[in-house]
Amino acid sequence: MIGYAVIGTKDLERSCAFYGALLEGIGGKQLMGLDHIKFYGTDAGGAMLAVASPHNGEPQACGNGNMIAIPGGSPEGADKLYAKAIELGATDEGEPGQRFPFFYGGYVRDLDGNKLCFFHMTDA
């Protein structure tokens, strides 16, 4: 359903180091890129997450209400992603835990303030 989502950054090199280290634990790697945008995923035909310097040259800003959710594969996987993001300099927006009977998730803000959720859908 989703081809790719783009997260804006103030510092592309720093953002690539963050997302490269974060996503390698779930098999993610940089699949392609240009000078202002880099795409991460697990295979060339699947969904991707991109980090980019804004194309219009204006400063990066986080959208109010925007969030990227990254599946952990299990509650433990969501915990590992959350811990890795914090280790890499992300800030806490809600420690991992069962939010609803069917949803386990933890929340952070990346180095540019973009909101991320690491989650696992559980049996309802």
Side-chain angles (χ1 to χ4, degrees):
M1 185 79 164
I2 294 178
Y4 65 92
V6 179
I7 295 174
T9 182
K10 297 172 184 124
D11 184 332
L12 188 59
E13 186 175 322
R14 180 178 77 145
S15 201
C16 286
F18 176 87
Y19 282 100
L22 176 66
L23 299 174
E24 73 182 353
I26 55 171
K29 62 183 180 231
Q30 187 177 321
L31 297 175
M32 62 180 161
L34 302 169
D35 62 339
H36 72 284
I37 188 168
K38 309 296 180 193
F39 293 84
Y40 293 84
T42 56
D43 61 64
M48 295 180 289
L49 174 64
V51 292
S53 300
H55 189 69
N56 65 4
E58 296 293 322
Q60 177 269 347
C62 300
N64 186 24
N66 294 348
M67 181 178 68
I68 302 294
I70 300 171
S74 67
E76 296 80 16
D79 291 347
K80 285 181 184 178
L81 285 168
Y82 172 88
K84 184 67 173 182
I86 296 294
E87 174 189 317
L88 293 167
T91 56
D92 173 58
E93 280 286 312
E95 291 186 5
Q98 199 73 41
R99 306 289 183 204
F100 306 102
F102 55 88
F103 184 85
Y104 183 92
Y107 302 86
V108 300
R109 295 245 177 215
D110 75 2
L111 306 177
D112 290 297
N114 296 297
K115 192 170 184 180
L116 305 174
C117 173
F118 307 115
F119 76 99
H120 179 69
M121 298 300 285
T122 58
D123 293 331

